Amino acid sequence: MFALKKTITPFILPPGIFILAIVFISLVMIYRKRWKLGLANLMVGMMLWALSTVPMANFLIHGLELDYPIPSDPSGDVIILLGGGMIQSVPDLTGTSAPSPSMMGRIVTAVRLFQRLGLPLIVTGGRVDDDADSAVATVAKRFLMDLGVPEKLITVEDRARDTAQNARLTAAICRQQGFSKPILLTAAYHLKRARMAFDAAGMRVTPFPAYFMGSRNIPYTWRHLLPRAGCLCTSTDALHEYMGILFYRMFGP
């Protein structure tokens, strides 16, 4: 009964139910001899299914995460924490709005690294949406303080709206405050593009990954081929990064 439930549920919830609908419509088209449209739709359904599976999500995200292992003995004079989104206008213990899951993973790692090294932090991230009630960096600062980081050791950069601006504006702060050996902390899959942006801004950084999403060395079974919303999100994040890296290489940050 448990196995049956785990098999049926992914096809009742998105994206599974939409994949089934696409496949069904495609087969009807093929049955009615509308071959080209039917096969095209079927291909779309299969691609969506593949992106929603654990093996594909791991394959895509691993290509970004494997280049940056966690440093065994990191050193520097400041920790730069890149903003990674937030959930707007939600109630929280000490205010309104909260970090996204990815950003929360970065914050927790930043606090743990702060407890080990005792370095000041620069948090960068502005209002990604024009109607946002606060900047990502402002929300992150509140959580950092709640987790024990003194306010006097946190510098907020709340204007940047993308990774390139994160790099340029934070590099300027580092120069103003005399920091020359920053540790760049962001999600592991985002580090490659973030480092490219900081290199373009003329700031050499020590990359420090957080919030790994790709599972390592797990034995795949047929259940890993069932569609999952979380896997589709992971695949989407990875594809976004690959597109961003390609854009940077072609046009620069």
Side-chain angles (χ1 to χ4, degrees):
M1 188 66 181
F2 176 81
L4 180 62
K5 179 179 68 174
K6 291 296 183 180
T7 303
I8 293 176
T9 301
F11 292 101
I12 296 176
L13 300 173
I17 191 169
F18 299 122
I19 293 171
L20 278 183
I22 293 172
V23 171
F24 176 76
I25 294 171
S26 301
L27 294 176
V28 170
M29 289 179 177
I30 293 173
Y31 177 77
R32 294 179 177 178
K33 302 189 185 303
R34 300 175 63 184
W35 301 103
K36 291 184 179 180
L37 189 57
L39 290 174
N41 284 348
L42 185 61
M43 185 177 296
V44 170
M46 293 298 99
M47 289 176 60
L48 182 59
W49 190 334
L51 291 172
S52 303
T53 63
V54 174
M56 181 59 76
N58 279 341
F59 172 76
L60 292 172
I61 210 73
H62 276 169
L64 297 164
E65 293 183 341
L66 291 179
D67 289 341
Y68 294 101
I70 299 173
S72 58
D73 188 23
S75 62
D77 53 11
V78 67
I79 299 169
I80 298 175
L81 173 58
L82 258 62
M86 69 175 184
I87 306 170
Q88 299 181 35
S89 304
V90 294
D92 180 65
L93 184 65
T94 55
T96 303
S97 297
S100 67
S102 173
M103 187 60 198
M104 196 67 231
R106 303 180 197 190
I107 289 172
V108 171
T109 300
V111 172
R112 295 163 68 192
L113 190 60
F114 165 79
Q115 291 172 343
R116 179 184 297 187
L117 303 178
L119 298 175
L121 289 95
I122 301 175
V123 189
T124 172
R127 288 176 169 84
V128 179
D129 299 319
D130 293 332
D131 60 348
D133 55 5
S134 57
V136 173
T138 303
V139 175
K141 177 184 176 181
R142 172 161 51 87
F143 273 70
L144 288 168
M145 292 172 58
D146 289 346
L147 294 172
V149 181
E151 182 176 11
K152 65 181 181 180
L153 294 181
I154 304 173
T155 299
V156 170
E157 185 292 298
D158 59 2
R159 293 185 295 149
R161 303 186 69 174
D162 60 22
T163 303
Q165 290 183 4
N166 286 143
R168 289 194 294 269
L169 296 175
T170 307
I173 292 174
C174 286
R175 296 185 184 102
Q176 291 170 3
Q177 299 188 7
F179 297 123
S180 59
K181 297 180 180 179
I183 297 174
L184 176 63
L185 192 153
T186 185
Y189 73 91
H190 182 50
L191 255 179
K192 187 170 186 176
R193 184 160 63 94
R195 190 175 185 181
M196 291 172 68
F198 274 83
D199 285 345
M203 178 63 65
R204 295 182 62 85
V205 298
T206 298
F208 197 98
Y211 195 69
F212 284 86
M213 295 195 297
S215 300
R216 309 290 174 87
N217 302 319
I218 62 172
Y220 292 128
T221 68
W222 63 270
R223 290 182 182 174
H224 291 108
L225 299 178
L226 298 176
R228 309 182 187 190
C231 290
L232 182 58
C233 290
T234 299
S235 295
T236 302
D237 287 338
L239 291 174
H240 177 267
E241 286 302 308
Y242 286 119
M243 292 175 62
I245 291 169
L246 178 61
F247 182 88
Y248 280 11
R249 286 177 175 171
M250 292 177 64
F251 305 106

